[in-house]
Amino acid sequence: MKSEPHLESGPIRSVDRDLLLAMRSGELIGIGELTEKLDVTATAVRQRIERLLARGLIEREKVVAGRGRPTFRYRITDQGKRINTADSTELAEAMWHEMLSIEDRDLRNRMLSSVATRLGREYAAQLDESAPLEERMRVLSRLLSSRRVVSDVNSAGELPVLDINACPYPTLADGSEDHTMCHLEEQVLSEALGKPVQLSQCRLDGDSCCQFSPAATVISDGSTT
């Protein structure tokens, strides 16, 4: 059973980013070394470390030397490295437009589907697959929000729906009426939730938000659920 993560979220403080930059080599480093690199007090370093530990952006390791008291040294995690990487927007835009320019439609669709599956599985790994659909949707909505994708779950109808209030990738959609990005999101969300969802409303069609609803699935006797 997968459980919902309990890591803190929200914007990263600039002083905490400075500490992550000081640790970007990936090697273990101690409080003393960090105070020298950042030219701040040990107390300030410890405060930043506690915040970053709570977010899973760094990890600590106990070091025992001789008979003295054990000390802790710290290392940036893979998640922390992603926070402080170079802006990949230009690379993403170039790769996206290159995929769209592939003339072989089957090849293009296979590549887009593979991308969607990979992204969806990253989210799925953080969801409890045994939880009810609405609960999985709400956890997914929070995960999306942590990645600056504004979303909400609307449970007013018979089935819950996921509303995405603004295009998460406006520079890739490029203001066109092409729905390729919308259908990619549809596949990502389906993979994440472990249940097919369909785009039932779309901002490109004049709706107030992009809405993803559980899709009817056909079972063995020919009926739908």
Side-chain angles (χ1 to χ4, degrees), residues 105-116:
R105 179 176 295 182
D106 288 339
L107 174 60
R108 182 175 68 246
N109 288 341
R110 285 200 303 273
M111 291 184 67
L112 291 171
S113 180
S114 295
V115 169

Side-chain angles (χ1 to χ4, degrees), residues 134 136-139 141 151-156 160-163:
E134 182 174 344
R136 298 203 305 276
M137 275 190 171
R138 293 195 181 282
V139 175
S141 177
S151 64
D152 192 20
V153 177
N154 186 333
S155 55
V161 295
L162 182 67
D163 292 342

Side-chain angles (χ1 to χ4, degrees), residues 14 26 37 42 47 49 61 71 77 178 212 223:
S14 60
K37 282 177 174 285
Q47 290 173 344
I49 281 175
E61 183 174 311
T71 59
T77 62
D178 184 271
F212 296 88
S223 59

Side-chain angles (χ1 to χ4, degrees), residues 180-192:
T180 303
M181 177 57 73
C182 306
H183 295 309
L184 180 73
E185 289 181 72
E186 194 175 59
Q187 293 181 61
V188 170
L189 298 177
S190 296
E191 185 72 34

Side-chain angles (χ1 to χ4, degrees), residues 9-116:
S9 59
I12 302 291
R13 302 185 188 187
S14 60
V15 292
D16 294 346
R17 286 187 180 276
D18 291 341
L19 190 142
L20 289 174
L21 282 171
M23 303 176 71
R24 61 186 169 185
S25 69
E27 298 176 356
L28 285 169
I29 188 169
I31 297 286
E33 296 162 88
L34 288 170
T35 59
E36 291 181 9
K37 282 177 174 285
L38 300 172
D39 193 25
V40 297
T41 66
T43 298
V45 168
R46 289 191 179 93
Q47 290 173 344
R48 299 180 195 184
I49 281 175
E50 289 304 317
R51 289 195 294 267
L52 294 172
L53 283 170
R55 299 179 71 113
L57 301 180
I58 63 174
E59 59 189 5
R60 65 183 170 192
E61 183 174 311
K62 183 184 289 186
V63 178
V64 180
R67 297 182 179 179
R69 292 179 60 186
T71 59
F72 289 102
R73 294 177 69 79
Y74 304 86
R75 179 191 290 116
I76 191 170
T77 62
D78 289 341
Q79 185 179 352
K81 291 176 182 177
R82 285 195 291 269
I83 291 289
N84 258 12
T85 55
D87 187 351
S88 57
T89 301
E90 290 184 0
L91 175 62
E93 289 179 0
M95 295 178 69
W96 176 253
H97 291 299
E98 282 301 309
M99 278 197 290
L100 294 186
S101 69
I102 296 174
E103 295 183 1
D104 185 328
R105 179 176 295 182
D106 288 339
L107 174 60
R108 182 175 68 246
N109 288 341
R110 285 200 303 273
M111 291 184 67
L112 291 171
S113 180
S114 295
V115 169

